[in-house]
Amino acid sequence: PCSRRAAAADRRTVTGMPLVDTALAASVASRLAPRGPQLSLTEAADVVTMLRDLTEQAEQHVRDVTGLHGVVGPATVVDRPGWAAANAEGFAVVLAPLEEAFVAKQGRVAATATAKVTALQMGALLAWLSGKVLGQYEAFQPEGQQGRLLLNAPTIVETERRLGVDPHDFRLWVALHEVTHRTQFTAVPWLHAHVRSEVGALLEATKLDDPEALLARVKGLRDLPRTSIVEAFQTPEQKVVMDRVTAFMSLLEGHAEHVMDGVGPAVVPTVEHIRARFEAKRRDRGGPFERFVRRLLGLDLKAKQYAEGSRFVAAAVAAVGMDGFNRVWESAETLPTLVELRDPPAWVARVPG
């Protein structure tokens, strides 16, 4: 939207120079994004209409399962270039606090070159991810703008065809997951500030504004084929923050997984079939190149977050019910630590217990 581009331009005017040329990143991603499934204009319009309708239906189901009342509204259905452009803008918001220090450290000419090179890399990454990600809630937005619920229509259709599942049920299943994320952030107002604070602390510990420190970390990487960038770049200071972020993200993902399956076959008749096929897809890491990229980017860590988070939510709800579990949203102090995430009774004893 024009208002978003204007906001991004205003931010660049204030900070002087972005860390990433987001317009270039979006352009690169648009050119490199894999082609979506072949659909006629009528079929494409029907997909968009159904996704929007199912998102509205999902609102009540999420409320019934979670007891949380968040902001309701239509989904923004995008294609792969649109998804990549939205995420490029999100990265710009995340990195904005570091821009002034980065430019001061590198100088304007060097910072400009860095912004271009980083944009090329980010564009290639976003193009690849656009063929994998089904949807998301945009938590990182410029001040004064609400987050959006994005559904990546071509990738949803391509995935449902590859899995051989019922399109209506699969699209509702995906909508339930993303609506749960929107509900989390809009029903629990302090979550936005919390996640911004944690990501800011993570970036500060990573020292992205210090090229010399980053170069030293790069030179020290010897085990990259056996680890991820996320793990390889961790400093001791960053690991402390990363443990908190991992526990938090695992909670959010596990809660969404709980809702996806918690609505049951009365709402999604083929939910068990969808879950079985989807889990099989998660276990299939593709060819050698895809396995390498997934490990490099830490995407296998995200799969682990889904599993650990889902086990935590299921165990906590079984122990104290949904009302007791919802105490997790009271404050940052009631969130599970990484140790508690892997030992739900410890959290139950500390918070609702």
Side-chain angles (χ1 to χ4, degrees):
C2 294
S3 60
R4 288 177 175 269
R5 289 195 293 269
D10 290 343
R11 183 181 54 75
R12 286 194 294 270
T13 300
V14 173
T15 60
M17 179 63 60
L19 272 173
V20 179
D21 185 333
T22 53
L24 177 58
S27 176
V28 170
S30 179
R31 291 198 296 270
L32 297 181
R35 291 177 58 86
Q38 295 300 307
L39 296 172
S40 68
L41 288 177
T42 300
E43 290 173 324
D46 289 344
V47 170
V48 172
T49 299
M50 180 182 287
L51 286 172
R52 288 175 175 162
D53 290 344
L54 291 177
T55 300
E56 293 182 6
Q57 293 178 31
E59 299 282 359
Q60 186 61 51
H61 298 308
V62 171
R63 189 176 300 122
D64 291 342
V65 174
T66 66
L68 301 177
H69 295 258
V71 170
V72 301
T76 300
V77 182
V78 295
D79 57 9
R80 287 167 173 170
W83 178 88
N87 278 267
E89 292 175 0
F91 274 115
V93 173
V94 171
L95 296 174
L98 299 177
E99 290 172 359
E100 186 175 348
F102 189 80
V103 173
K105 195 87 173 182
Q106 279 206 327
R108 182 168 296 277
V109 174
T112 301
T114 299
K116 299 294 184 184
V117 171
T118 308
L120 295 175
Q121 297 168 335
M122 180 182 288
L125 171 61
L126 291 174
W128 185 78
L129 287 173
S130 72
K132 309 294 180 183
V133 177
L134 303 176
Q136 71 190 86
Y137 173 71
E138 290 185 296
F140 295 102
Q141 294 296 307
E143 291 295 331
Q145 293 191 21
Q146 285 191 343
R148 291 185 299 173
L149 191 158
L150 299 180
L151 293 177
N152 188 347
T155 303
I156 290 173
V157 173
E158 186 174 83
T159 302
E160 68 194 25
R161 290 180 176 180
R162 186 183 301 121
L163 295 180
V165 294
D166 180 81
H168 175 277
D169 286 5
F170 183 72
R171 294 169 194 177
L172 177 55
W173 196 66
V174 172
L176 287 165
H177 186 102
E178 305 311 334
V179 168
T180 301
H181 284 321
R182 179 168 67 184
T183 299
Q184 291 162 347
F185 279 93
T186 57
V188 187
W190 60 267
L191 280 189
H192 276 104
H194 177 74
V195 73
R196 282 174 178 265
S197 174
E198 291 290 66
V199 171
L202 193 62
L203 292 174
E204 184 176 349
T206 311
K207 301 186 185 303
L208 289 179
D209 63 334
D210 188 339
E212 290 81 7
L214 277 178
L215 182 60
R217 298 292 295 168
V218 171
K219 289 180 178 178
L221 299 182
R222 294 185 176 86
D223 296 324
L224 197 53
R226 295 186 295 278
T227 185
S228 68
I229 289 178
V230 175
E231 295 167 311
F233 270 81
Q234 279 188 18
T235 63
E237 297 84 0
Q238 189 185 16
K239 187 179 185 308
V240 173
V241 184
M242 192 64 187
D243 282 352
R244 295 200 307 265
V245 172
T246 298
F248 177 67
M249 296 305 296
S250 298
L251 170 68
L252 298 186
E253 296 297 353
H255 187 230
E257 294 273 292
H258 184 80
V259 173
M260 290 170 81
D261 296 336
V263 295
V267 175
V268 185
T270 59
V271 62
E272 293 184 4
H273 176 63
I274 291 173
R275 170 59 73 188
R277 297 304 302 269
F278 201 75
E279 288 301 327
K281 175 179 177 291
R282 280 180 177 169
R283 290 191 293 270
D284 179 11
R285 300 306 179 195
F289 174 74
E290 179 164 345
R291 289 198 298 271
F292 173 74
V293 172
R294 292 184 67 88
R295 179 181 289 273
L296 195 68
L297 299 177
L299 296 182
D300 288 339
L301 296 178
K302 186 171 180 63
K304 185 179 179 182
Q305 287 178 8
Y306 281 101
E308 290 187 338
S310 185
R311 285 194 295 269
F312 170 81
V313 176
V317 171
V320 295
M322 186 58 73
D323 288 343
F325 167 79
N326 279 343
R327 289 201 59 193
V328 78
W329 310 116
E330 289 181 359
S331 70
E333 286 68 37
T334 58
L335 294 174
T337 65
L338 191 58
V339 171
E340 291 172 336
L341 187 91
R342 295 165 180 170
D343 182 15
W347 177 84
V348 170
R350 180 176 69 87
V351 181

